[in-house]
Amino acid sequence: MQQVFLNKGKIPYEIVTKKLNDWYTAIKNNLDMEAVRLKNEVEELMGRMEKNPDVILYHQLLDFRHEMMISYLQSKNEQELKNAYEALQEHQGQIKGMLDYYFFFFMGMYDFKRKELVSAISSYRRAEQSLNYVDDEIEHAEFYYKMAEIYYYMKQTYFSLNYVKRAMRIYGKYKNYEDRILRCKYITAGNLIDSLDYNGALEIFKETLEISRKINRQLHVYTSMLNMGIVYNQIGDFQRAYECLIDAYNYFEKENHACIEKTLFNLAHVQARRGDLKSAGYFYEKGYSVAEERDNSEYKAKFDLLKAIYLTDGCYNLIDNSFCFFSTHKMYGDIEEFGFEVAEVFRKKGDAERSSKYYRQVILAKNEIQKGEMISETQVDSLVTSSNVGIEYSGSK
């Protein structure tokens, strides 16, 4: 990562700069214990250093990024994260150069975490305008990965594939970036799922599972199993889906990981689709409780939807409320996916009116997704020229 140069004070700027950079590296690698240790060392140094507005802001930005890492890995510190976010907002419009990049990059990550997709992509695009101030090529790859992630989530396949290619091209030039390459492969497989190439996606997830075991990355082992379970559910292999998901859940619960809600939702979904409503109800109750405890609005909406279409009769307001949440947050991929499922459930029940209603939701969602893909030729040419590479190719739900 590019260094921030400090005015010389009580502590030489080289020492503080190196420590700040070390801290950021630990954060990016999700090394929570190492990051906490370095955070404490940085704060001690900052207290002994001559005041410098750029350094103070840089430290504040990294503190915000640190809280996001803790929130992701341990599903806590939400209030600390919100406080750090609000403090940074006071600096908007006052930052230039490299710090401007980090400000908008981290804002975009926070908005994506809250599923404020329009705000997130706006922040990322603003960050991209200042990316040229960052000399570190790995940081460019980090940014490209995040762009690939949000475009995947928005079902903008062309852009997702383009950015993930650019990220992998950089990571592949350096040693010890296996974790990053695995994440890029998840994005690649996710785009294959959206293209209905389930076998291709499964092959990639089997590959990431093998690599993760070989390099002893337990988080990636069970992330791969979670994703495999999702694909098996898609193709109707419910037993394999359940086996993968329950193994993933046992790990995530032990680690109190942010993927608990997602895994419990998929377990409830698998069991509901296979007709084991008692088991589905158990995972629903457990998952909704976790989502409520963590104030996870996205998964509360998804659990409500699951309850309405499989576990109860007549709770049509829950379905409408869930789709309202998706629409408000521009989650058109979820509207398309779940709209089709809901429409099919009502069709099989002989409820043609409600079935037609949700088929229309699917069509409207597809239109919105296509609108997002309709960009000018100038923008396409700029994107391809800047990457100078062809297209190559995270999870679902």
Side-chain angles (χ1 to χ4, degrees):
M1 173 186 157
Q2 186 182 26
Q3 292 184 343
V4 176
F5 294 98
L6 320 177
N7 292 331
K8 191 171 181 179
K10 298 177 183 178
I11 298 293
Y13 74 84
E14 294 91 350
I15 295 175
V16 181
T17 299
K18 183 179 185 308
K19 197 65 68 175
L20 286 166
N21 292 334
D22 290 345
W23 182 25
Y24 185 43
T25 298
I27 292 169
K28 288 190 292 186
N29 287 310
N30 291 325
L31 301 174
D32 52 338
M33 299 302 292
E34 177 73 2
V36 168
R37 181 184 68 79
L38 289 166
K39 171 183 167 74
N40 292 334
E41 292 182 10
V42 164
E43 289 176 350
E44 181 184 353
L45 292 174
M46 293 292 293
R48 297 163 54 197
M49 189 192 71
E50 181 180 303
K51 300 302 180 185
N52 180 300
D54 285 345
V55 178
I56 292 170
L57 178 57
Y58 181 44
H59 170 257
Q60 197 173 351
L61 284 163
L62 291 188
D63 189 59
F64 177 58
R65 180 67 179 87
H66 180 98
E67 295 300 336
M68 277 196 286
M69 175 200 67
I70 297 298
S71 175
Y72 171 71
L73 290 177
Q74 302 176 15
S75 295
K76 62 181 183 180
N77 285 27
E78 293 301 322
Q79 188 57 50
E80 290 90 338
L81 180 57
K82 184 179 180 182
N83 292 342
Y85 170 77
E86 291 173 351
L88 279 175
Q89 284 295 310
E90 298 176 4
H91 298 285
Q92 187 164 353
Q94 306 170 15
I95 311 170
K96 295 181 180 180
M98 186 182 70
L99 293 180
D100 181 76
Y101 159 76
Y102 286 115
F103 177 87
F104 284 104
F105 185 37
F106 296 165
M107 290 299 106
M109 291 173 65
Y110 182 66
D111 286 332
F112 179 73
K113 181 182 186 300
R114 298 185 299 160
K115 294 301 179 286
E116 298 292 344
L117 301 183
V118 174
S119 295
I121 197 66
S122 296
S123 292
Y124 282 157
R125 286 171 174 165
R126 179 64 182 80
E128 193 165 23
Q129 295 176 21
S130 298
L131 186 58
N132 62 310
Y133 290 104
V134 181
D135 292 334
D136 183 9
E137 194 174 30
I138 290 296
E139 183 63 28
H140 285 237
E142 295 286 309
F143 174 78
Y144 297 149
Y145 168 79
K146 287 296 182 182
M147 289 293 277
E149 179 184 51
I150 192 169
Y151 276 126
Y152 159 69
Y153 201 91
M154 297 172 72
K155 289 204 170 185
Q156 303 294 313
T157 304
Y158 170 81
F159 294 106
S160 179
L161 297 182
N162 189 286
Y163 277 107
V164 81
K165 169 69 177 185
R166 296 162 76 177
M168 290 187 72
R169 180 171 173 263
I170 294 173
Y171 289 136
K173 292 163 60 176
Y174 299 89
K175 294 181 180 180
N176 302 320
Y177 282 92
E178 294 93 345
D179 285 16
R180 298 297 198 285
I181 292 173
L182 287 169
R183 289 191 215 167
C184 288
K185 287 180 180 292
Y186 300 150
I187 296 290
T188 299
N191 280 288
L192 287 178
I193 293 171
D194 287 343
S195 302
L196 306 183
D197 184 359
Y198 300 121
N199 288 331
L202 267 178
E203 287 305 309
I204 291 178
F205 290 136
K206 288 176 181 178
E207 178 188 355
T208 63
L209 179 62
E210 182 179 351
I211 294 170
S212 301
R213 284 172 171 163
K214 184 176 180 180
I215 63 176
N216 195 29
R217 299 288 196 279
Q218 293 301 298
L219 176 59
H220 284 291
V221 167
Y222 292 102
T223 299
S224 297
M225 296 188 76
L226 166 60
N227 285 320
M228 288 171 64
I230 290 169
V231 180
Y232 282 129
N233 184 29
Q234 292 276 2
I235 63 179
D237 191 339
F238 301 129
Q239 184 57 34
R240 284 187 179 179
Y242 177 82
E243 290 169 358
C244 289
L245 291 168
I246 199 67
D247 283 350
Y249 169 67
N250 289 334
Y251 172 81
F252 292 135
E253 184 183 41
K254 180 182 67 176
E255 297 296 321
N256 193 30
H257 193 272
C259 282
I260 292 175
E261 300 101 300
K262 179 176 182 177
T263 312
L264 284 168
F265 171 81
N266 281 282
L267 277 165
H269 194 211
V270 166
Q271 298 301 79
R273 289 190 66 205
R274 77 193 302 184
D276 189 343
L277 299 186
K278 182 178 179 180
S279 178
Y282 168 79
F283 290 120
Y284 160 80
E285 294 290 347
K286 199 171 184 66
Y288 192 89
S289 176
V290 174
E292 197 166 40
E293 178 185 337
R294 296 179 176 180
D295 195 25
N296 189 328
S297 299
E298 176 191 0
Y299 273 93
K300 284 195 286 186
K302 289 182 177 180
F303 277 114
D304 279 342
L305 181 61
L306 193 67
K307 177 181 179 181
I309 61 178
Y310 289 111
L311 303 177
T312 60
D313 291 322
C315 293
Y316 304 129
N317 63 309
L318 290 181
I319 300 176
D320 290 336
N321 290 342
S322 296
F323 277 91
C324 181
F325 176 87
F326 298 151
S327 179
T328 299
H329 290 78
K330 314 295 183 186
M331 297 166 66
Y332 299 119
D334 287 297
I335 295 175
E336 180 187 12
E337 181 176 357
F338 290 116
F340 183 81
E341 184 171 352
V342 172
E344 282 290 285
V345 168
F346 281 125
R347 182 186 65 80
K348 291 174 182 177
K349 290 181 177 180
D351 191 336
E353 182 179 351
R354 286 194 172 85
S355 179
S356 297
K357 172 183 176 179
Y358 291 103
Y359 280 132
R360 286 195 296 272
Q361 291 265 25
V362 173
I363 294 169
L364 292 173
K366 284 181 179 290
N367 289 340
E368 291 296 331
I369 291 169
Q370 289 173 355
K371 283 180 186 177
E373 294 173 342
M374 294 173 64
I375 61 172
S376 69
E377 290 295 326
T378 302
Q379 287 173 299
V380 173
D381 290 343
S382 174
L383 179 62
V384 174
T385 302
S386 64
S387 66
N388 198 31
V389 294
I391 299 176
E392 252 184 34
Y393 192 21
S394 158
S396 302
K397 292 187 182 175

